[in-house]
């Protein structure tokens, strides 16, 4: 949590420093024009991401498949578009990284791997707790208590 607080405070300062550096290198008006153009491009990407994600997900659902890949790629496109909406060049670079197809696929795979690892850790923790508490579903065998009598 501390890292997020640090990034929350540090990120705007870095963005401002980069904006000032770019503004002093290319001028104020071209810098403002670049920020406005990337914001317009980000807004368009948000629209396109929503429409294409819904369309691809509908196609996969019509085939009886889960649209998990399409949803994650649409989410990455939306994050990239949202980052382009923010004023600043650092967020624009990260946003473009989310929008490029090959880097977007790489990010989606990393997110899927991370989610699978997290689910495995939680499943192992839940199984361990169930075994300690003697609940079914743990690693202890299910034992049914009862009586019987043998009849010939």
């Amino acid at each position: 949590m501390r890292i997020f607080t640090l990034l929350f405070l540090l990120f705007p300062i870095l963005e401002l420093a980069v904006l000032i550096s770019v503004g002093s290198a290319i001028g104020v008006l071209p810098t403002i024009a670049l920020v406005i153009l990337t914001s317009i491009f980000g807004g368009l990407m948000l629209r396109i991401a929503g429409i294409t994600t819904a369309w691809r997900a509908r196609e996969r659902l019509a085939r009886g498949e889960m649209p998990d890949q399409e949803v994650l790629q649409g989410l990455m496109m939306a994050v990239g578009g949202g980052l382009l909406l923010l004023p600043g060049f650092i967020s624009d670079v990260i946003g473009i990284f989310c929008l490029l197809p090959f880097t977007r696929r790489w990010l989606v795979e990393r997110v899927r791997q991370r989610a699978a690892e997290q689910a495995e850790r939680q499943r192992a923790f839940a199984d361990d707790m169930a075994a300690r508490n003697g609940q079914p579903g743990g690693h202890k065998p299910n034992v049914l208590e009862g009586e019987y009598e043998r009849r010939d």
Side-chain angles (χ1 to χ4, degrees):
M1 194 65 177
R2 290 181 185 170
I3 188 106
F4 289 118
T5 305
L6 182 65
L7 285 175
F8 185 72
L9 296 173
L10 190 62
F11 191 73
I13 294 169
L14 289 174
E15 284 280 14
L16 189 59
V18 170
L19 275 172
I20 291 170
S21 300
V22 170
S24 65
I26 65 172
V28 174
L29 291 178
T31 303
I32 292 173
L34 277 174
V35 168
I36 291 171
L37 286 175
T38 57
S39 294
I40 291 171
F41 182 67
L44 291 173
M45 289 309 298
L46 280 174
R47 278 188 173 173
I48 291 170
I51 293 168
T52 58
T53 301
W55 182 68
R56 288 180 185 163
R58 191 175 303 138
E59 277 185 350
R60 295 269 317 247
L61 285 172
R63 287 183 278 169
E65 301 171 357
M66 287 298 293
D68 57 342
Q69 185 75 15
E70 284 75 16
V71 170
L72 285 174
Q73 290 217 4
L75 178 67
M76 285 297 162
M77 287 178 69
V79 166
L83 286 171
L84 285 173
L85 278 174
L86 293 175
F89 294 112
I90 298 173
S91 60
D92 291 347
V93 168
I94 297 170
I96 289 171
F97 188 72
C98 291
L99 291 176
L100 294 174
F102 56 92
T103 56
R104 186 175 61 233
R105 280 189 219 106
W106 180 78
L107 283 171
V108 165
E109 281 305 312
R110 294 285 300 161
V111 167
R112 291 178 87 184
Q113 287 174 355
R114 182 83 185 240
E117 290 169 1
Q118 183 70 24
E120 187 64 33
R121 276 195 300 269
Q122 286 187 355
R123 187 178 312 120
F125 179 73
D127 288 347
D128 187 41
M129 289 301 292
R132 285 185 194 160
N133 295 334
Q135 297 174 354
H139 294 291
K140 290 185 178 180
N142 291 333
V143 177
L144 299 175
E145 292 187 27
E147 296 180 13
Y148 76 98
E149 68 180 60
R150 180 174 269 170
R151 292 186 183 177
D152 291 327

